[in-house]
Every structure is written in C-alpha cells, then in structure tokens.
Amino acid sequence: MEVGSTEAGPDAGALAARILGGTSIVVTGTRGSGRSHVLRAVTRELEHRGATTIVLRAASALSAQPYGAREAAAHPVLSALRDRSDDGGVMDEVLVVDDVELLDLASARVLARAIASRRLTAVVALRTARPRGIEPVGEGDEVRRSFLDLGVEELAQRIDLADLTDDDAYAFIAGFPDVALVDSTTRAGLVWRADGSRTLLSHLMRQATDDARAGRDPLAALRAIAPHSPLAVALERHVAEMPPTDLQILAGVRRLPRLDSAVATRLFDAEGIQALVARGLLHTDASPQRRLTANDLVAQEAQRRVGTAATDALVEAAGRRMLSEADEWWSPPVAVALAQRWHRLGPEASGEGAVPPALRARVALDAAREANDRGDTGHAAAHAARGRRAVDTAPLRLEAQIAAGTVSALPSGDAGDDPLRLRIARSLAECEGAETVGHSPRERALADSRVGELLARATREGAHLDWCAAAETAGRAVAEAAATPAARLRALVSAGTAEAVAGRWRHATTYYRGAERMLAARRAPAGLGARDRLAAVMYMLAGHQIAGADGTALHAMLEREMARTAREGGCGALRLAAAAAAIAFSAAGHAQESLRELESAMSRAPSAVADPDATMVALGVADELAMAGRLDEARAIVGRLDDLGAPLLRRSRLYVQTTILAVEGSRAAARNAARAAADLTRGRSAAALRIRDLFRLITLEAATDDEVDELVQLAATTDLPLAADAVRRASARSAAEQGLPVDELRLHALWSKTDAGDVPEPDATRDAPPPPTRGEGWGGLTARELEIAMMASAGLTNREIAARLFLSVRTVESHVYQARAKVGAPSRRELGRMVAAGVTGLEPRGTSGSASV
C-alpha cells in the first residue's frame, strides 16, 4: 500500500495510522534526505493521537558495546526485551529509533527479532549510501541488513526518501525564515551546492541569510567555511562515504575548472567522471567539448580530504603530461594552473626554464586571457610579460594592452569593456601574421567587428530616441551572415528590443524567436557562453516589459539559465543574472524582490551591465518601488545615478519622478514632470515610450486634445500589446476615479508566476457583457467597479483581476469593497452574481448564506 505524501515528505498522519494499526516502518534515505524530520513528525502525530512512544537514541560511542544503546536508554520496557523472541508479551508502546545503523549488533538483533515477531511496533530511520558510496563492513553491515531485511520480507514497511530535486529545493528555500534576504542567483547556487541534501541546504541557507544580513556575498563566503562550524560538520559527513577516486576527481576538476571531458578522461578515472556527472556533482556544459565544472562546495571538502599536496601533485602531473603531448592535445585550464605555478615558484624552482619558448608563450597566453576575463589585470599583465619574454606574439601583446587598458584594435572602444569586442580583438590578433590560417576565421572576426560597430551605433541612436533608426541599424547587424553565434545572438535581441520600442511588436517577436531558437538548441552553438545567454534573456525581458507583453515564459527561461549559470558561469554571469532578475521582478510587480536583485548585481560589480542599460534597469526598479509606496528607496536609486545626458535616460528619470511625485500626492509637480517627459518623446520614433507618456498625461488630466488624438492614432498604427489597452483604460476612467491610488499610472502588464509549461487559462471575461465605458453603470457603480465586478462574476480572483488590469491587489480589493457597499452585496461572490444578473437584465435571486471575502 502507498502512503500519501506532501511536498515535505511522506504524510506523517498516514504513517502514524499505519503504525497504530500494528505495522512497523523503516524510513530509509541518504544522509541529509530528511529521515530525522520524518521521524519527528511521525512521533508528534503519534503522541497527538494518544500513543506512548519510546525514543531510543543510537550513538557511535555506544555502537561497540553490546546492548549499549538499550542499557543507556534505561527504560524498563526495553530492558524486558530478551534475546529469545518468545519472552514477554506484546509492547503497547511504539519504539522510535533514529540512525538505527549506529546501534550495536546485539541491540539491533533484539529489536529486529521483536519487530519480526510482532511483539514490538517501531518506526526506525536507516541511512543508506549514495551511488558509489563506501558500504560498511563487519558488524555495521549486519546491523543495516537486520533492518533492511524486515522490509524485503514484508515484516515492516519500507519508506524510501529521495534526494531533493531542484524544484523541491526551491520550495524548501521559499519557506525558510529571512528568505527575502537571499537573491535569485544565490538561491540557484545554493541549490546546486546542497547536492540534494536537506541538511546541507538548511545549513547553507542559515549561513547565507547571516552573510546577506552582514552585507557579504553568500556564495563568495562559502570559499572560507569556519572549521567545526555546523556547515563544516555537515559537509564533512556528507562526503564521508565517497571513494578516494571520486574525491580526487572532484579536487582535480575544482583546480582545473571548465576542463574538456576528453582531457579529463586522460587525467582521471573515466568511470568515476561519468558517475559524478550522473549524480550531479560534476556538470557538463552544452558545448561540443562538454566542459566540466565541479560542485564547488563538495569539491572544496574533497580537496581538503585529499590534501593540498596531493592535489598540487595531480595538477602538476597534468601539466607535465600536456607539455609532453602538446602536439596531440592542449587544455587551457591545465595551462592556466601551470602558469600560476610558474608565477608562484619562479623559473628555477618550477622548472619553467626547461620548457621550450613556444610552449611557455602558449601557456602564458592562456593564463593572461583567463585573468583578463576575470578582470584581474595585474596577473594578466604578469602572465603576458612572462610569455613575451619567451616569444613576443601579437596575441600576447593584445592581452598586455587589455590589461593596461590601451587596446586600439577596435575603434569602437576598449575590448576589455565588452565580451564581444574582446573576442573580436583576440580573433584578429590570432590571424595576424599566421600564414597557415585561412580566410574564414578572419572573415568571421571582421563580421563580428562590423556587428559590434553596428550595435554600438544602434545603442547611440536609441539613446537619442531614434528607435526606428536603431532598429534598421540592428537589422543590418543581423544580416551579417559570417558572424559568430555570440554576435548573431546579440544582434537578434538588440534588433528585437529596438523594434519593440519603435512600436513594431510583430517584427520584434520575429527577432526574439530567432534568439530563443538559439538558446533552446540542444547543443549550444560554438562560443556561446553563460554571459551571452543571460544578456540575451535580459534584453528580451526588457523588450517584453516595454511593449506591455507577458514575459512569464521568459522569466521561466531566466530561472533555467540561472540554474545553468550557478553550475558553469563566472562572477560576471552572476551579475548579469541578477540584473535580468531585477527586470523580471519589477515587471511582475514585486518591488522588494526587484530591489534585492538590483543590489545583488551592484554589489558584485557595478559595471556588470553597461550604460545606458544599467541605468534603465535601476530606473525600472525605482519606478516599481515608488508604485509600492517605498519612496525613500526609489529616491535613493534616482539620486545615485550620474548625470543623464542622453534623452532616453533623461526621459526615463522624469518618468520615475512622475511616479514618485504622484504617490506622495504632489499632483501639480507630477503633471509638470510628466509633461517634461512627454516633451522629450514628442516627434521621436519611440512609440512604446510615447504611449506611456501620453497615457500618464491623460491620467493626470494634463493632456491636450491633440495628445489624446495622438494616443488613439498610435493605438491604431502600432501592434504593441499596451497600445489598445492604454486607449481603453484612458477612456474608461470616470471623474470619481481620478483620486484612486497611483496604480492607475501603471501601464505594463504585471507578469504572473505561472510555470512556463502551464497552458494559459482561457480568458474568462472574453464572453462577458462589456461594461459601460464612462459614467455610472448598473447599481450606481463606476466603470472600473463594474468592470471588476464582471470579472469576479466570471470566476477570477482578486490577484488575477489585478494582473489583467495592471492594478495592485489592494486597489482591486478597494474597488470590490466600494461596489459591495453600493449594491448591498454581502460577499464578493454575491457581488459578481448580482452585477452579472443586473447587466444582462435578469432578476437576481436571493442572496447566498456563504461569504467569500
């Protein structure tokens, strides 16, 4: 028979009922699977139902002493148990034993016989090993077998607890105290590091909230765990059963991150690598090389167990082998580790001098590139200088220039400021003077260069609110057929976003679908990294928000990308993920979460997203904070921004200031700010922004007749999702609604939290009778009150109505309350029924006795 379960594990009530019926239970699971939690829940349920429980505590210190656990309990009922199963009668009490595998063999035999003979009903928890885990031998194995056999022979019911899935882990985190302190990227990182263990995740969350409260980066803090802390002890136990081979692999891959799988199998046990990948402790990216990264937390403990000297020896041996077989294979991670050793020990002690100059230069180039990518220009310069002393090559000179900030390879700016320009510069340097290199690599580098120039130009045009020109320029970048996948992806999302702001949503979605196909490819296009993918999702999120389109599916895509980034991305990718999450949460109306994500992106590195994009993200968060009434925080963000010279940024700041002023009740000042913002978009090709500005002027009663006509004309000539709704909402406002909360200024749709795989429900209001557009409707209700009442009659919740009408739940509740008072409806449900009947001409029947508030 199956026992019901909940998200937290097996149903404690169902288990308690089974136990009270005389069935013993053996709860099995790996370390950290929640066995103790289940036992505590079942014990509470048993005691709640009037049962008497006896808790027998097993301990390592007693496992070598015959009957040690039973005697330590000093319980008369347990003392009455004898080695012979026919002694004594049936026990009325229920025995509870956690970590039963720690019992001494004599106690285990007595308890197992008593359970098998039905003299004793018990619920015990038994730890099982993970795949490839070291199994106990001798008496320890016999103890385990004594209780496992009870389940096999159906003398007890066995309940197996599975490790946490990612979804389970996120649900676990959501219920944790102070979870609001932990940003999305940190949560994704903790979920992977927990390795499916509830115990580890619990300790990780406690430390993460402490670190976040103290202003520290929780993921960075995990690199230095205090010895003997609860987390350190839990981690030590978590890896205790791992075989030495697996520990060596994890320690080695941690020191050689992003190691190609083909190289890893040269250096480590291939079967062990496959097993660790299957278990999830090693992650392979989607590249053809299947690059490996290790679960950093578990690998850190593995390295401690293997020892620093032994790990260094593994890496040193890998470097020697690569140099001796350089004509056959080469690995940048191994080269980086080798260069770091040379840098630390010097040429004499490290043996660098015995390596041929060409190989020394090659090693130095990989190390300089890796350091520049991390922003560590000091070490990049040192590695480049060492390499140039061996052989002075164009790629090494380029890395030295990047480190010094003097790159002149591209007229568009410093290659170090942009990953795409960095790749272009490196590709061109590789081709310089290389007679054996064909034209194709150089053509791709030049095409990427043209893409970079075009997108930089499109950015300038957008900043000056000429989004039609920006869309045309970005479209030319998309047409560069020789561009690399990373450049093409960037061009697609830039063109899509430009088209969205220009008011051509159909064109925007065409570009976005092309980008989504690239991101959804089973095998990632060559050269497409975590930063490229996250930047693409971020731009598409912004485009959907600007156009007023639902970005729920994109938010789900972002969550998948964050999970991937937690496994394979660097610090730069985490910053981008936080910035993208800030956009997603602000679009969903979650002000606190959007601020948390913005602060995470800024704390990890303020330059994670380049201007003007970084400023636009910050202003979007500030606007959402103002909508939520958190004015001080909104003003603080606006006040931190530098001088906003570009028209786009000046207009966006005025837009946010309008919200702030409206919320604080300064209606005249809000009208002035809205007018100033609208003056900047007048006559510009930025339809999405212009519609918002006109809608605010109308909402604040500051629009001229020509501006009202302009909004209607824009709604007729653009296909933006927000266009028609702006006209509908503006025309539906009555004089009585002018003083309602500032949510009436919101125009973009509040995205839901529906999973991407869920099918949207049919529009329940599609067939409902249309409400009056102005004045008072049935029962003296305003147009808005009538509209909300009709939605309620169609079965929509307050939250669903709020999302459809771009209001807060609080505003909807206020409308419902006012409408109920006007028509005398005793409940929300009855309000909907009465209004629906009144609008359609049907007489309302008697009121229901049940209330739904």
Side-chain angles (χ1 to χ4, degrees):
M1 296 177 64
E2 295 294 330
V3 175
S5 64
T6 66
E7 289 184 1
D11 186 340
L15 289 178
R18 191 72 54 79
I19 292 166
L20 291 176
T23 300
S24 292
I25 303 292
V26 179
V27 180
T28 65
T30 58
R31 190 184 295 276
S33 59
R35 304 180 318 279
S36 299
H37 172 78
V38 171
L39 251 64
R40 286 193 295 270
V42 171
T43 302
R44 286 194 298 269
E45 187 67 27
L46 288 169
E47 292 172 348
H48 177 71
R49 298 183 183 208
T52 302
T53 59
I54 302 173
V55 178
L56 179 62
R57 304 190 183 279
S60 300
L62 301 173
S63 61
Q65 178 183 349
Y67 302 108
R70 192 186 68 175
E71 293 175 358
H75 196 286
V77 173
L78 294 178
S79 300
L81 290 174
R82 297 291 184 263
D83 291 348
R84 292 174 55 191
S85 61
D86 56 350
D87 287 346
V90 176
M91 290 174 51
D92 294 328
E93 297 83 358
V94 176
L95 181 66
V96 180
V97 189
D98 197 1
D99 293 325
V100 73
E101 71 279 357
L102 297 180
L103 286 177
D104 60 276
L105 182 56
S107 295
R109 285 172 173 168
V110 167
L111 295 181
R113 278 198 292 267
I115 293 170
S117 64
R118 308 293 185 184
R119 292 178 53 212
L120 170 66
T121 303
V123 53
V124 302
L126 171 66
R127 188 180 76 247
T128 53
R130 283 187 165 83
R132 291 173 59 85
I134 299 174
E135 293 280 3
V137 295
E139 291 189 356
D141 181 52
E142 188 174 342
V143 169
R144 290 175 187 259
R145 288 295 169 193
S146 297
F147 291 95
L148 289 174
D149 287 346
L150 292 174
V152 172
E153 297 166 2
E154 299 185 352
L155 298 172
Q157 181 177 1
R158 174 171 170 171
I159 304 294
D160 291 299
L161 300 183
D163 289 347
L164 281 176
T165 65
D166 282 2
D167 289 342
D168 293 336
Y170 283 116
F172 181 92
I173 287 175
F176 209 89
D178 296 327
V179 65
L181 296 171
V182 183
D183 62 280
S184 298
T185 53
T186 297
R187 295 186 198 191
L190 297 181
V191 165
W192 189 40
R193 285 165 174 80
D195 188 31
S197 167
R198 289 170 174 82
T199 301
L200 270 186
L201 186 56
S202 179
H203 287 298
L204 286 168
M205 276 299 297
R206 288 193 184 95
Q207 179 157 326
T209 52
D210 288 345
D211 289 331
R213 198 177 291 108
R216 297 186 293 267
D217 181 347
L219 295 182
L222 291 177
R223 299 180 191 132
I225 301 172
H228 313 301
S229 66
L231 175 58
V233 173
L235 184 58
E236 180 181 353
R237 292 184 175 183
H238 187 76
V239 304
E241 297 171 352
M242 293 183 66
T245 302
D246 290 2
L247 296 175
Q248 291 174 358
I249 294 171
L250 289 171
V253 174
R254 182 173 187 263
R255 288 285 301 275
L256 304 171
R258 298 185 63 76
L259 192 67
D260 291 359
S261 292
V263 174
T265 53
R266 293 177 185 269
L267 307 177
F268 307 109
D269 177 63
E271 183 180 344
I273 291 173
Q274 293 172 0
L276 290 171
V277 169
R279 176 174 162 181
L281 286 173
L282 287 181
H283 169 76
T284 58
D285 68 11
S287 69
Q289 295 80 18
R290 291 173 54 81
R291 297 185 181 95
L292 295 168
T293 48
N295 180 315
D296 190 66
L297 185 73
V298 178
Q300 179 176 317
E301 176 63 17
Q303 185 173 329
R304 188 189 70 82
R305 284 177 168 262
V306 171
T308 302
T311 305
D312 287 343
L314 286 171
V315 175
E316 185 181 351
R320 286 197 304 269
R321 181 173 176 185
M322 182 188 73
L323 293 175
S324 66
E325 301 173 0
D327 292 338
E328 181 181 345
W329 64 277
W330 188 267
S331 171
V334 175
V336 169
L338 194 59
Q340 290 170 346
R341 182 173 183 274
W342 291 350
H343 177 78
R344 183 175 69 255
L345 299 179
E348 297 298 329
S350 66
E352 176 189 0
V355 178
L359 291 180
R360 296 207 306 270
R362 190 175 179 184
V363 167
L365 177 61
D366 284 338
R369 284 178 171 171
E370 187 271 343
N372 269 327
D373 288 345
R374 287 188 291 106
D376 187 355
T377 56
H379 281 97
H383 291 310
R386 175 177 283 102
R388 293 179 68 187
R389 284 197 297 270
V391 180
D392 192 3
T393 64
L396 280 168
R397 288 195 296 273
L398 174 64
E399 297 304 324
Q401 291 172 353
I402 294 171
T406 59
V407 174
S408 58
L410 293 174
S412 59
D414 184 353
D417 292 339
D418 188 301
L420 176 60
R421 289 205 296 270
L422 191 63
R423 284 191 287 261
I424 296 167
R426 284 172 174 166
S427 297
L428 291 172
E430 290 283 5
C431 296
E432 182 179 323
E435 298 178 1
T436 59
V437 176
H439 292 293
S440 179
R442 183 171 183 81
E443 287 174 355
R444 293 179 78 82
L446 291 173
D448 281 6
S449 180
R450 290 191 294 272
V451 168
E453 292 289 347
L454 288 168
L455 296 185
R457 177 179 166 186
T459 298
R460 292 191 296 271
E461 291 166 339
H464 286 83
L465 296 174
D466 191 356
W467 285 98
C468 284
E472 191 274 334
T473 302
R476 288 165 53 197
V478 174
E480 287 286 346
T484 60
R488 177 166 179 76
L489 178 63
R490 183 172 173 181
L492 284 167
V493 296
S494 297
T497 303
E499 292 283 6
V501 183
R504 299 189 289 255
W505 183 239
R506 185 174 302 173
H507 290 79
T509 54
T510 299
Y511 286 123
Y512 284 161
R513 280 196 297 269
E516 289 168 4
R517 282 193 295 269
M518 292 184 69
L519 294 174
R522 185 171 184 179
R523 185 63 66 190
L528 205 61
R531 292 188 65 174
D532 301 307
R533 302 174 65 90
L534 284 167
V537 175
M538 183 182 75
Y539 277 109
M540 290 192 289
L541 283 166
H544 279 69
Q545 182 183 22
I546 290 169
D550 187 8
T552 302
L554 273 175
H555 196 174
M557 181 186 293
L558 172 62
E559 291 174 345
R560 293 193 296 271
E561 289 298 331
M562 281 195 290
R564 180 201 298 256
T565 299
R567 289 158 169 79
E568 64 189 52
C571 191
L574 291 176
R575 300 166 197 151
L576 272 174
I583 296 173
F585 279 120
S586 65
H590 299 306
Q592 180 178 347
E593 289 85 348
S594 65
L595 177 61
R596 180 192 66 207
E597 302 299 328
L598 177 67
E599 291 176 341
S600 172
M602 294 176 65
S603 66
R604 287 190 166 113
S607 61
V609 184
D611 280 328
D613 301 325
T615 301
M616 293 296 290
V617 172
L619 287 171
V621 172
D623 193 61
E624 193 56 46
L625 287 168
M627 286 280 190
R630 301 172 66 164
L631 297 181
D632 290 342
E633 291 162 311
R635 290 193 192 96
I637 292 176
V638 174
R640 284 198 302 264
L641 300 176
D642 296 331
D643 180 42
L644 307 181
L648 171 66
L649 301 182
R650 295 206 312 273
R651 175 263 166 200
S652 299
R653 177 183 237 170
L654 287 165
Y655 189 87
V656 177
Q657 288 172 337
T658 301
T659 307
I660 294 173
L661 292 167
V663 172
E664 69 183 14
S666 303
R667 305 287 286 186
R671 293 188 187 99
N672 292 335
R675 169 59 60 195
D679 287 345
L680 287 171
T681 55
R682 183 190 302 116
R684 305 296 184 103
S685 58
L689 304 181
R690 183 63 176 167
I691 288 171
R692 292 172 181 273
D693 292 341
L694 291 173
F695 176 78
R696 287 202 160 188
L697 286 175
I698 294 171
T699 303
L700 293 168
E701 299 181 290
T704 65
D705 290 343
D706 288 342
E707 286 168 335
V708 174
D709 292 342
E710 183 185 355
L711 178 60
V712 175
Q713 183 67 22
L714 281 172
T717 56
T718 69
D719 60 352
L720 293 171
L722 62 79
D725 195 72
V727 174
R728 179 188 65 79
R729 289 180 57 203
S731 62
R733 291 177 63 82
S734 67
E737 291 182 287
Q738 301 301 327
L740 288 177
V742 76
D743 286 309
E744 296 292 336
L745 292 176
R746 188 197 302 279
L747 190 52
H748 68 265
L750 289 176
W751 300 347
S752 68
K753 286 295 289 179
T754 305
D755 292 337
D758 291 350
V759 178
E761 292 292 330
D763 189 345
T765 64
R766 186 172 299 159
D767 299 323
T773 57
R774 54 179 157 270
E776 291 189 345
W778 181 87
L781 301 181
T782 66
R784 180 69 84 203
E785 290 167 351
L786 185 56
E787 184 178 26
I788 289 174
M790 292 301 299
M791 289 184 171
S793 73
L796 273 69
T797 66
N798 286 350
R799 184 170 297 279
E800 290 169 337
I801 295 172
R804 289 175 183 272
L805 298 181
F806 324 127
L807 305 174
S808 72
V809 176
R810 186 174 61 254
T811 301
V812 173
E813 290 170 347
S814 175
H815 281 301
V816 169
Y817 178 81
Q818 295 293 337
R820 284 176 53 198
K822 289 181 180 180
V823 302
S827 69
R828 179 185 182 281
R829 181 182 301 166
E830 189 62 21
L831 168 68
R833 192 192 65 78
M834 292 173 65
V835 171
V839 170
T840 56
L842 299 176
E843 287 297 326
R845 292 183 295 178
T847 59
S848 169
S850 62
S852 176
V853 179

